[in-house]
Amino acid sequence: RIPLYPRKGGCLMPWDRNQMAARAAQELQDGFYVNLGIGIPTLVANNIPAGMTVTLQSENGMLGIGPFPYDDEVDPDLINAGKQTISELPQSAYFGSEQSFAMIRGGHIDLTVLGAMEVSEGGDIANWMIPGKMIKGMGGAMDLVAGVKQIIVVMDHNAKDGSPKFIPSCTLPLTGQNVVDMIVPDLAVFRRPDHASAFKLVELAPGVTADEVAAKTTAAYEV
């Protein structure tokens, strides 16, 4: 059975950005080293379960990232890879990008949460460029999907024009092939036990039905 979780007061609706991040945060485990992508994934930092020790790593050279600071706590010299101001912890460590990417490429990061423009039914991910639009660079996503043990994608289920983002095959340039383990869009959760298996619909957002998800998805998946 696919569980439904009503929001406070009985109001039912798809997850908002913070709820998507909170759902992804449920996959964290005590002692994990975790990298968060830009956009919605950064909100995971504010949703780490109470009592759990998780160390956040940033590609720009920081290990041990704290929550987003309040306005009177902002230090402009402390930023994450997405150039957002962050806070440090007593145990925070700083280093160069070569050590940061050695951690990623060496398989020392347990989990990464990334955004995406598209994810295919075979676990491919496209999240670094749209042809014809200006980009600043590919960032660290290609290293992350190649070196991190578990890949979770958090994204809107559909693009602004209503087109699906979980699709049979990606149309945009790929970041990685057959790398995604779990997808947390605003309508549902899809998971697969290994990279040889199909994704399965395992959870629905409040008020969302399996038929609605099917109508807004072109990728093949199990129920």
Side-chain angles (χ1 to χ4, degrees):
R1 181 183 177 185
I2 301 170
L4 289 172
Y5 297 105
R7 296 177 64 193
K8 185 176 180 180
C11 180
L12 303 177
M13 62 176 63
W15 288 311
D16 60 27
R17 292 166 63 91
N18 191 64
Q19 289 169 321
M20 292 159 65
R23 178 60 189 84
Q26 293 180 24
E27 302 304 310
L28 302 177
Q29 296 182 31
D30 199 50
F32 263 20
Y33 289 87
V34 176
N35 181 289
L36 303 178
I38 62 174
I40 300 174
T42 60
L43 299 175
V44 172
N46 288 342
N47 288 282
I48 296 173
M52 181 178 292
T53 300
V54 171
T55 302
L56 300 180
Q57 189 255 16
S58 183
E59 299 103 291
N60 61 326
M62 185 175 180
L63 191 66
I65 301 171
F68 287 118
Y70 293 106
D71 290 341
D72 59 350
E73 299 173 339
V74 169
D75 181 343
D77 291 326
L78 284 178
I79 60 172
N80 60 20
K83 298 180 177 60
Q84 296 171 305
T85 53
I86 53 177
S87 64
E88 64 178 354
L89 302 170
Q91 67 271 28
S92 295
Y94 302 91
F95 36 83
S97 60
E98 78 286 355
Q99 291 177 298
S100 177
F101 279 90
M103 296 174 188
I104 294 169
R105 295 170 183 172
H108 304 292
I109 306 300
D110 296 292
L111 181 148
T112 185
V113 184
L114 300 172
M117 279 91 79
E118 295 176 342
V119 175
S120 79
E121 62 188 46
D124 303 341
I125 177 174
N127 76 344
W128 73 279
M129 74 166 295
I130 298 176
K133 292 193 175 183
M134 187 182 72
I135 60 169
K136 297 179 180 178
M138 65 181 65
M142 291 184 181
D143 290 279
L144 288 166
V145 299
V148 176
K149 300 171 186 175
Q150 184 178 355
I151 314 297
I152 297 177
V153 170
V154 178
M155 64 180 185
D156 291 326
H157 196 89
N158 297 87
K160 292 180 180 179
D161 64 1
S163 60
K165 298 177 71 172
F166 183 29
I167 55 182
S169 59
C170 294
T171 63
L172 297 173
L174 293 181
T175 308
Q177 290 183 297
N178 193 22
V179 294
V180 178
D181 299 290
M182 183 176 181
I183 312 169
V184 185
D186 54 340
L187 298 182
V189 176
F190 301 89
R191 187 200 301 271
R192 59 179 181 164
D194 54 66
H195 291 178
S197 300
F199 283 98
K200 183 175 183 178
L201 176 63
V202 296
E203 187 174 328
L204 293 167
V208 177
T209 67
D211 287 342
E212 289 172 332
V213 172
K216 295 182 178 182
T217 309
T218 54
Y221 58 88
E222 298 177 351
V223 177

